[in-house]
Amino acid sequence: MINTEIPKHYTASPSSFSGTPHLTINREVTQDLDSSNAFEGPEKLLEVWFSPSAGSLPGQTSVNGLKAVSAEIWKDMLDLVNCQVLSIVESEHVDAYLLSESSMFVFPHKLILKTCGTTTLLCGLPKILEIAGTIAGFPHTVGDPHNGVATAATPYRVFYSRKNFLFPDRQRGPHRSWRDEVKTLDKLFLGGSAYMIGKMNGEHWYLYLTEPNTILTPPATPDRADTETKMLDLPASQADMLCRGMESLPADDETLEVLMTDLEEENAKQFYLDHASAVAEGRFFQRAHRARKDAQQALSTIKESDAEHSALYTPNQDAYDIFSNTSSENGEYSSSDEDEPFPEELTTEGHALGTVVSEASGLSDLYPTQKYPDARVDAYLFTPCGFSANGVIPAPEGHSMTHYFTVHVTPEPNCSYASFETNVPCRQTGKETAEVVEQVVNIFKPGRFSVTLFETKPVDTPPSPQAEANGAQKPHRVTSKGSNIENIRGYRRVDRIVHDLEGYDLVFRYYERWDFKGGAPRIGELC
């Protein structure tokens, strides 16, 4: 019998886990899920920090912070966003929620919510603030229900970003325009800053962020001027600091995001259900054939070794093939074999085919189990196409930290899009940022893509004794990782922006494939 189980570092069913992380699959939501309406691939990305790190939670906060909040409560919040939970991978440091439209990651001190399509992500933000205060125990202001004022935790910092929409006219609620999104955020937070990064008439990226120790907007505040969106098109040498006095941030806090459009059509077929099922079927019967051959060889070896000690064995007697009723005359395995039926879960959408795609596409090799033995990947393939995956990556060598990656794919030619995001530090992987980007790009083969890299500012180091002897006065600045992604093989860099933000360096780069002939980019949303 062939072992058809998905390897334990992937997710086919809850039974594939014997320990942590733990997987929960929402079977009801996964019924009749159809990705054909998920036309808007570019996601809205919200990151809300309630303290600088998991190790600096306020005293009154629950021991596990936001992780103390039950999945049922988060599901109620996600109803406001118009998406549902497919499955959950729970681990010591982060819980990864795979959603019907993208992903959510819950750490003790922060929450990351990423949704695509026509979801109303910002509609869930007030509820997130309320949950963080009333259930997780973060410092909060008490609401006044009679005056329509909700209880809200005071966040440490808030980040909201997205690529320009392809179909902005189909968005709902506060997401009909960037201006509306900024107004929504300004109603909640004082002193937020809004930016547009890239070309106004080309591919661009929006960012809204608050300063450390964010202040909530008082409910009685009179109407005030909207936050002005600033155009970040200056080189790093000309970019000014937004403000000073930043509290310390955890080392190696970096987030890499690769946003890809115009996927190569033939390559994108691997993210269609029919194609993935065919791949699974071929592999399944290959393994069955190999198992039969191995069993025949083992049986033959046993008989030969026992020939001299068994009177029942005749050397010239034809060997009995225990699989003779399932094999063809030429010995090749037939897919019509009845004692090894093709599993139904490999013909329908779900986690089993999601795992097949993870392996066949090369996504499982981004953070291989040889280096990350405790890594877990939760993948899902939709009907008739579309793919999502969350990865929970515990740091190797006993480090008490867990990181994540997430991938989402809309493969239809008229709106093809794929995204990859991770906070796994490059120092931990042993790879340069450019190597990670190249590996991702080689999987999806986009005609165009942009890269954003947020990283804590490199530490200034004092000059060496020799430099001091030569009269050096200024400290030496460690090179930013973003400087290592200038050249990506097979692509030309079209745009480059580096900006100095409060406590972070932000790198934005936009690339096009050298041989790409797809015409002008599909902008959709103009400024």
Side-chain angles (χ1 to χ4, degrees), residues 107-166:
F107 295 81
H109 64 298
K110 67 179 179 180
L111 178 143
I112 300 170
L113 179 57
K114 187 171 191 173
T115 65
C116 62
T118 56
T119 50
T120 51
L121 185 150
L122 290 180
C123 291
L125 181 52
K127 190 66 175 180
I128 292 172
L129 300 178
E130 179 184 341
I131 292 171
T134 59
I135 299 178
F138 284 95
H140 58 276
T141 59
V142 179
D144 182 359
H146 298 291
N147 293 321
V149 179
T151 297
T154 304
Y156 171 70
R157 203 157 191 192
V158 177
F159 303 85
Y160 175 72
S161 64
R162 65 171 175 82
K163 181 186 177 296
N164 54 291
F165 288 135
L166 300 179

Side-chain angles (χ1 to χ4, degrees), residues 293-304 319-322:
K293 288 292 187 182
D294 290 345
Q296 286 178 313
Q297 184 176 1
L299 182 61
S300 176
T301 301
I302 292 173
K303 287 184 175 182
E304 289 177 0
Y320 176 69
D321 183 0
I322 61 174

Side-chain angles (χ1 to χ4, degrees), residues 39 100 119 131 279 286 293 459-460 472 474:
F39 54 86
S100 55
T119 50
I131 292 171
V279 170
Q286 283 180 357
K293 288 292 187 182
V459 178
D460 290 339
K474 296 182 179 180

Side-chain angles (χ1 to χ4, degrees), residues 44-50 105 107 109-114 121 125 155 157-161 208-210 253-255 404 421 423 454 504:
K44 313 164 185 83
L45 175 60
L46 175 69
E47 192 163 330
V48 186
W49 294 52
F50 292 95
F105 297 91
F107 295 81
H109 64 298
K110 67 179 179 180
L111 178 143
I112 300 170
L113 179 57
K114 187 171 191 173
L121 185 150
L125 181 52
R157 203 157 191 192
V158 177
F159 303 85
Y160 175 72
S161 64
Y208 182 100
L209 75 166
T210 63
D253 179 34
E254 59 184 78
T255 300
Y404 73 89
E421 179 188 341
N423 72 338
F454 261 109
Y504 287 88

